[in-house]
Amino acid sequence: MSTVLVVNSGSSSLKYQLLDDAERVLGSGLVERIGGAGTITHRGPDGEVVVDADVPDHTAALALMMRTCAAAGLDLAPDVVGHRLVHGGARFSAPVVVDDEVEAAVEELADLAPLHNPPGLLGVRAARQAFPGVPQVAVFDTAFHATIPPEASTYAIDADLAAERGIRRYGFHGTSHEYVSAEAARFLGREGRFVVLHLGNGASACAVSDGRSIATSMGLTPLEGLVMGTRGGDLDPGAVLHLLRTGMSVDEVDALLNRRSGLAGLTGSGDLRDVLAAASSGDPRAELALDVYAHRIRGYVGAYLAHLGGLDALVFTAGVGENSPEVRARVVEGLAHLGLQIDPASNSARDRGARAISPDGAQVPVLVVPTNEELQIARHALAAVAPR
Ligand code: ADP
């Protein structure tokens, strides 16, 4: 039996999951507040344990993970480690086994993903130390979108400058869109033309044609596209210029766009549950935020329907997409002319797995498909080291 350890490393947190080659989860957990007095929460067959410990850096986080797993009776001796990395740039269009050269190449891409790639690399480096000789596979959020055609990935700016600086649409959440579109095809018993809506803290839409991404709403960075928890998505770049010219610094604009926009900017909270609660108690700002959120999504659904030349399923996933019947209903409302309708009873049923929420015999099925990025990373990591 082979086991695979999946590591998703952020700047101050590290999520992990150990799976076997039958895709059973043997244990999982989260180290939080790396950089100081931290905590690990580990879940295994015997339940959950929470341990406080000093966690100065990512190496210490992995050591804490190994100690906690051992104490819980879980022998951490993975055959391969799969890492979530955000930005693979133009170079990495598939998972890759990490060596020093790959590590250096990912480091160079930090310019494009300053918030995400450096913490991912800290996890890679710590795991290479903790598990010497064990292959480490980097799985990039951008990779699934490598099939997007040039007309959908090209920004219409100075072509030489764009090529020199790598400015184009890369797209993100690829691991989720790949997993969810494959699960949707499995659920329906056929491939087809799908729009997948990954609605979590970050949010993106993806047009998938027979298993290949042909368009997605995030761009050079995860700032573009849909309204998110703290990011506003599409914005006239002229607004950025205006803010810079009228006295805001680059860092201030960065903070505005990454942390004080989206639902948080419109309502004060980036958590959709708060926004729904505020709207139901009559807060007009929250009601407007929900309208903007759904309006933006509907625009992408329409655009992608045109790009795909038709639609065989609309698929909701991630925290909001999987859990909020109200948001799903708001998105689909008024789209009956596109063959899209929701059955209120199936929409509000508390089922967990992949399911249809459109009426029986609907022209275009509307599905909810839970995402599982860890499992998709595990599959890629095992495949990358499998004998050919
Ligand atoms: P991340 O992008 O960090 O992985 P998730 O996919 O977990 O995030 O999504 C987090 C979002 O999901 C939050 O905005 C949260 O409000 C929302 N969410 C979770 N459960 C519900 C629910 N029952 N109803 C509405 N929104 C929910």
Side-chain angles (χ1 to χ4, degrees), residues 1 15 100 118 134 177 254 351 366:
M1 183 185 78
K15 282 191 226 162
D100 292 344
V134 175
H177 287 302
D254 187 314
D351 299 349
V366 181

Side-chain angles (χ1 to χ4, degrees), residues 15 84 173 198-203 229 231 263 270-276 293 317-327 350 371 373:
K15 282 191 226 162
R84 173 183 182 225
H173 289 147
H198 177 113
L199 310 177
N201 283 315
R231 285 170 264 164
L263 297 174
D271 189 313
L272 203 106
R273 284 165 292 200
D274 296 340
V275 183
L276 286 168
Y293 188 93
T317 193
V320 175
E322 291 169 31
N323 296 305
S324 178
E326 180 164 358
V327 168
R350 293 195 168 270
T371 191
E373 289 165 276

Side-chain angles (χ1 to χ4, degrees), residues 139-335:
V139 180
F140 298 93
D141 260 15
T142 47
F144 180 60
H145 303 299
T147 48
I148 292 180
E151 66 271 24
S153 64
T154 303
Y155 291 120
I157 59 168
D158 179 318
D160 295 334
L161 180 75
E164 182 195 308
R165 305 279 178 95
I167 297 179
R168 45 161 278 202
R169 179 181 309 284
Y170 294 98
F172 297 89
H173 289 147
T175 305
S176 176
H177 287 302
E178 178 181 28
Y179 176 83
V180 168
S181 55
E183 286 297 302
R186 196 149 77 148
F187 180 84
L188 294 169
R190 59 176 193 285
E191 285 290 355
R193 299 159 297 180
F194 305 153
V195 172
V196 179
L197 300 171
H198 177 113
L199 310 177
N201 283 315
S204 68
C206 183
V208 181
S209 179
D210 292 338
R212 293 158 65 87
S213 169
I214 65 151
T216 196
S217 57
M218 283 178 169
L220 171 73
T221 74
L223 277 178
E224 195 179 352
L226 304 182
V227 177
M228 314 183 203
T230 64
R231 285 170 264 164
D234 294 338
L235 173 75
D236 179 353
V240 175
L241 298 177
H242 179 71
L243 292 171
L244 290 170
R245 286 202 185 103
T246 51
M248 273 177 97
S249 69
V250 172
D251 285 346
E252 283 167 346
V253 175
D254 187 314
L256 170 75
L257 299 180
N258 276 298
R259 298 203 295 273
R260 287 197 287 123
S261 297
L263 297 174
L266 292 173
T267 71
S269 170
D271 189 313
L272 203 106
R273 284 165 292 200
D274 296 340
V275 183
L276 286 168
S280 65
S281 61
D283 178 346
R285 292 195 315 169
E287 191 54 51
L288 174 63
L290 293 173
D291 285 345
V292 176
Y293 188 93
H295 175 87
R296 185 77 53 80
I297 295 172
R298 282 199 296 269
Y300 274 93
V301 171
Y304 288 174
L305 194 150
H307 296 325
L308 287 162
L311 192 61
D312 298 310
L314 177 67
V315 190
F316 286 92
T317 193
V320 175
E322 291 169 31
N323 296 305
S324 178
E326 180 164 358
V327 168
R328 295 192 298 253
R330 281 173 179 260
V331 167
V332 175
E333 197 176 275
L335 296 184

